[in-house]
Amino acid sequence: MFHIRSKFSDEEIYLGLQEDKNWAYKALMNGHTEALKNYVLKNGGSTDDSIEIEQRALIILYENIRARKFIIKDGVKISTYLFSIGQNQWLSELNRRQKNLSDIGLDLYSTDTDSEFEISSNELEKILIEELNSLGSDCYKLLKLKYYDLYNDK
């Protein structure tokens, strides 16, 4: 499956969503949700789950843009923000399901198929490097200072 790139910039989509423009929703869905759907599918979700999480993430993104909780800046990608919203929604859904199964005496993670619910370390590393490379220099420096330099000082 190929990834459809939007002909609109993130800033244009952001402004379009603020103004409630239909083309902005279409551009967002066509260019920014495929990675999220794949994440859900690779981590134990069904096609219906991926669609549900995509819809939840889009609604939260829209609400955050309208409430000005998310403001686009240089080096900030809508796709990264949307992915993190969706990832949190999916992890919450898995936790909810685990709690429901625990309540009836079943353990979702007790089988040998734990790998179905996790990204392989190679995939995770690839995604992480891709996202780090897309950061603005100030953001990258901040993360490096906070995590890498602090970790190596100990």
Side-chain angles (χ1 to χ4, degrees), residues 30-100:
N30 287 337
H32 297 287
T33 60
E34 200 63 36
L36 177 56
K37 289 181 194 174
N38 288 333
Y39 172 80
V40 172
L41 292 171
K42 287 181 180 179
N43 288 283
S46 66
T47 302
D48 288 342
D49 291 330
S50 70
I51 292 168
E52 175 67 24
I53 296 300
E54 173 193 36
Q55 290 172 352
R56 285 189 210 170
L58 288 167
I59 289 168
I60 292 168
L61 173 66
Y62 171 76
E63 289 171 346
N64 288 348
I65 288 173
R66 299 288 292 194
R68 300 210 185 265
K69 290 181 182 177
F70 173 70
I71 299 172
I72 194 145
K73 298 177 183 175
D74 286 338
V76 176
K77 296 171 90 178
I78 287 178
S79 58
T80 303
Y81 185 66
L82 182 67
F83 185 85
S84 69
I85 292 169
Q87 186 177 36
N88 288 333
Q89 290 294 308
W90 180 240
L91 293 174
S92 294
E93 178 64 22
L94 286 176
N95 285 334
R96 184 191 65 75
R97 290 179 183 181
Q98 174 63 31
K99 183 181 180 321
N100 289 344

Side-chain angles (χ1 to χ4, degrees), residues 124-154:
L124 184 58
E125 182 179 347
K126 182 179 175 185
I127 291 169
L128 182 59
I129 288 170
E130 199 173 284
E131 294 303 322
L132 284 173
N133 287 334
S134 71
L135 294 175
S137 63
D138 290 341
C139 190
Y140 180 81
K141 287 176 190 174
L142 242 169
L143 286 171
K144 184 178 181 287
L145 178 67
K146 170 73 174 155
Y147 294 102
Y148 182 76
D149 293 345
L150 183 65
Y151 178 80
N152 285 328
D153 288 342
K154 290 186 178 180

